[in-house]
Amino acid sequence: MTQLLLGPLLRHVGTTDATIWVETDTPCEVGVLGATERTWTVGGHHYALVEVRGLEPGTSTTYEVTLDGEPVWPPPGDDRPAPRIRTVDAERPVTITFGSCRYASSAAVDDPKYDADALASLSRRLVGQPEEQWPQALLLLGDQVYADETSAGTQERIRRRRDITKGAKEQVADFEEYTWLYHESWTDPDVRWLLATMPTSMIFDDHDVRDDWNTSDSWRRDMAAQPWWHDRIVGALTSYWVYQHLGNLGPAELAENELYQRVRRAGQDVQPLLRTFAEAADAEADGAKGARWSYRRDFGPVRLLVIDSRCGRVLDGTRGMIGDAEFDWITDQLAGDYHHLLIGTSLPWLMAPALHDVEAWNEALCAGRRGRLVARLSEGLRRGLDLEHWAAFGRSFERLAGLIAAVGRGEYGGAAGAPSTVCVLSGDVHHAYIAAASMAGGTRSAVYQLTCSPLHNRVPAVMKLAFRAGWSAVAERSVRVVIGTVARIPRPSTRWHRLAGPLFGNDVMSLTLDGPRAQVWLDQAGPDAGHPELHEITRLRLA
């Protein structure tokens, strides 16, 4: 009998449609609510993305998964609520829960360095709540898997497959080993139920590939010189397309996606086809035409625009967090009527002001402002201290600020004019904070940076000290004096101040949007790795 290896994952949900992703152990026909889809094969692994249509807006419909007509999910005896599809209702408040940086719960069993997994704790909370209190969507903002920090179990599998003293060593090497990471991360029973029940959108960050991925042109040259790197980046982007990206797209986008339609119709293993695609996508940083990983989701009057701030970087020539063509696409997505605009990007747009200035200064030095020797030393600092956020891409930072300001003035809105809020949702930095921004020229919209990280990881003491210091007024003034007078780095056009944080721990953040109103709160998992509960840490009314 065909087995369900991974999933179901409830991915896109619209007003009348939804997609459900699965992995099976053999080719088969997958069924959900009368819709069926034949699996397709990548590297000997079998997948399907089932499109369910004809649902009623604002309804909740339980579902089961069948393989060749045999029910396989939910599993017999599971006492959790049945998985369900809750279609978008434009008249109801919208709650989006988000976070980033999740080292798999199963990979950290009995490891005292890790506290409880906030994602698993969220699942246990929802099991005990009425459905009406559940969020409408979950947004995972990077580092869903850690390809460069593998668990003891994964390393043992690698040893059985290849010589772990060579090549990629204990890190994953190719597509096959990437599949192990997703199984390790998504088969935790609590997380598996959550992903089957909560519509989930995703975007990658560096650890999905490798720490400091696409930090700079120098970093890319050094990695390209490694004989094992090509298979690693191809495996990373192929697996990301299969496991994460496809589910970000709705049925209409899937129908227009030429690569996906070729994969569905291939009738044979499509790994060679996806290898070619992954090679082309990786080349974007060198100035070639790449893939677009950014996407848009609408939840009634709430627009979510998720920006790829890793693979879409342009590092050869004029540095950019994303290329001009993608910025043009983002601009196009801003038109229309919505009450709230959410911009998801794995890397925070607004960081602690002192850290922002340090990264801006470092970018100028790396570009040769103080000569070649200083540029080489600054490049070492950039890579050693991870100075590669939006602040380190000054032109892109200001361009995004200009777009946000224009939205906030109502220049892109339809009849509704400017939205009530523009919120940038981010992760990456292993602490949580909430900041309010003032845009050059003023805005009618309130603008915020909401950062939540990690879901399940650890924060070394030195990082806590650095981030606390970075948010201090003394550090902000001191660094500004130095770079303003000595380095002559201008102030950013945007000014911002902290409302909450920095907060440390394994967290999830939630944002409820109701008409013109917005409220955000942070929940933290208990310090005991086995603790089942989340505890509210802070709550703020934004608008």
Side-chain angles (χ1 to χ4, degrees):
M1 179 179 172
T2 303
Q3 301 294 315
L4 182 67
L5 296 181
L6 200 56
L9 272 71
L10 178 60
R11 299 301 311 272
H12 169 90
V13 172
T15 55
T16 61
D17 52 32
T19 63
I20 294 92
W21 180 98
V22 300
E23 180 180 352
T24 64
D25 66 341
T26 60
C28 65
E29 185 176 76
V30 184
V32 178
L33 292 175
T36 60
E37 181 74 12
R38 194 74 193 170
T39 57
W40 34 271
T41 303
V42 185
H45 298 263
H46 312 287
Y47 308 95
L49 187 65
V50 182
E51 300 176 22
V52 178
R53 300 174 183 266
L55 300 169
E56 291 295 324
T59 58
S60 177
T61 306
T62 59
Y63 72 90
E64 68 175 13
V65 177
T66 64
L67 303 181
D68 289 333
E70 294 294 326
V72 296
W73 193 270
D78 189 356
D79 58 359
R80 297 177 178 86
R84 63 204 61 196
I85 300 170
R86 294 171 298 137
T87 51
V88 172
D89 184 347
E91 302 302 318
R92 293 181 182 175
V94 176
T95 297
I96 309 289
T97 295
F98 65 96
S100 73
C101 307
R102 180 176 174 267
Y103 197 75
S105 301
S106 57
V109 173
D110 300 325
D111 191 332
K113 297 191 298 292
Y114 294 91
D115 292 340
D117 181 351
L119 202 61
S121 297
L122 173 66
S123 175
R124 291 189 289 269
R125 169 189 279 184
L126 299 186
V127 165
Q129 286 183 337
E131 178 184 340
E132 293 73 22
Q133 296 180 19
W134 295 355
Q136 277 65 50
L138 176 66
L139 176 61
L140 301 178
L141 287 163
D143 295 345
Q144 274 68 258
V145 295
Y146 279 73
D148 52 351
E149 298 178 18
T150 53
S151 67
T154 295
Q155 290 176 25
E156 180 57 34
R157 293 188 72 177
I158 293 173
R159 288 188 185 93
R160 294 196 298 267
R161 184 173 185 249
R162 58 179 172 84
D163 186 349
I164 204 169
T165 66
K166 300 177 181 179
K169 297 184 178 179
E170 74 280 1
Q171 300 181 26
V172 298
D174 54 19
F175 175 79
E176 174 62 27
E177 293 176 13
Y178 263 101
T179 68
W180 304 347
L181 298 185
Y182 285 102
H183 282 250
E184 186 175 58
S185 186
W186 290 352
T187 51
D188 174 278
D190 291 315
V191 172
R192 193 170 188 178
W193 176 85
L194 181 70
L195 296 180
T197 306
M198 189 65 56
T200 304
S201 303
M202 307 176 186
I203 194 70
F204 44 33
D205 200 24
D206 55 343
H207 290 284
D208 289 277
V209 178
R210 181 184 167 90
D211 188 27
D212 300 339
W213 175 33
N214 281 350
T215 290
S216 64
D217 188 49
S218 168
W219 183 93
R220 282 183 63 84
R221 290 196 305 270
D222 288 349
M223 293 309 302
Q226 303 299 319
W228 51 270
W229 176 248
H230 182 263
D231 283 346
R232 168 69 161 275
I233 188 63
V234 166
L237 295 180
T238 298
S239 64
Y240 177 77
W241 188 88
V242 171
Y243 285 86
Q244 297 193 49
H245 178 67
L246 278 183
N248 294 328
L249 309 179
E253 296 164 299
L254 291 169
E256 297 174 356
N257 190 299
E258 181 181 353
L259 177 61
Y260 175 61
Q261 296 305 325
R262 290 179 65 189
V263 165
R264 290 180 66 223
R265 296 191 300 263
Q268 59 186 351
D269 197 309
V270 297
Q271 189 167 25
L273 176 63
L274 292 181
R275 283 184 64 90
T276 300
F277 164 78
E279 290 167 345
D282 178 55
E284 182 170 9
D286 301 323
K289 183 180 183 298
R292 175 168 58 78
W293 303 103
S294 302
Y295 59 93
R296 180 184 126 191
R297 295 282 308 278
D298 286 334
F299 302 91
V302 177
R303 177 159 297 177
L304 170 64
L305 184 58
V306 180
I307 299 175
D308 159 29
S309 52
R310 278 292 175 185
C311 196
R313 295 180 179 188
V314 177
L315 305 172
D316 184 15
T318 303
R319 276 170 55 86
M321 184 65 86
I322 51 179
D324 289 340
E326 193 145 351
F327 255 122
D328 291 342
W329 178 86
I330 290 168
T331 302
D332 291 342
Q333 307 313 304
L334 299 176
D337 289 327
Y338 42 87
H339 292 161
H340 301 272
L341 174 63
L342 310 181
I343 299 176
T345 169
S346 63
L347 301 173
W349 171 56
L350 303 178
M351 297 181 66
L355 297 180
H356 176 102
D357 285 346
V358 167
E359 293 203 13
W361 187 13
N362 177 261
E363 181 185 31
L365 295 177
C366 288
R369 177 172 291 192
R370 296 290 181 178
R372 293 183 178 180
L373 176 59
V374 173
R376 287 196 297 271
L377 294 173
S378 299
E379 177 65 23
L381 284 175
R382 171 156 64 189
R383 292 165 61 170
L385 300 179
D386 293 349
L387 306 180
E388 40 91 40
H389 299 83
W390 281 88
F393 292 79
R395 189 173 67 95
S396 297
F397 175 90
E398 290 296 345
R399 188 168 180 180
L400 181 59
L403 288 177
I404 291 173
V407 170
R409 291 191 292 267
E411 296 177 14
Y412 288 96
S420 178
T421 66
V422 179
C423 296
V424 180
L425 316 182
S426 304
D428 178 70
V429 290
H430 286 214
H431 69 290
Y433 60 91
I434 300 167
S438 300
M439 313 303 296
T443 58
R444 298 200 300 274
S445 305
V447 179
Y448 300 96
Q449 170 72 60
L450 310 178
T451 301
C452 182
S453 168
L455 287 162
H456 188 228
N457 213 302
R458 49 199 170 90
V459 186
V462 66
M463 287 181 65
K464 293 182 180 180
L465 290 173
F467 287 127
R468 286 194 177 105
W471 279 108
S472 73
V474 172
E476 180 181 357
R477 289 193 295 268
S478 301
V479 172
R480 172 43 52 186
V481 166
V482 171
I483 75 164
T485 59
V486 177
R488 298 181 181 178
I489 304 295
R491 286 184 181 274
S493 62
T494 304
R495 304 296 296 273
W496 62 97
H497 64 279
R498 173 173 45 115
L499 299 178
L503 299 164
F504 300 96
N506 289 334
D507 306 313
V508 291
M509 191 174 284
S510 298
L511 178 65
T512 293
L513 306 160
D514 183 5
R517 295 174 293 277
Q519 185 173 210
V520 63
W521 68 96
L522 184 77
D523 289 312
Q524 191 169 97
D528 180 359
H531 201 290
E533 296 182 1
L534 289 173
H535 303 278
E536 185 176 307
I537 301 299
T538 189
R539 181 181 291 259
L540 292 174
R541 188 176 301 278
L542 299 183

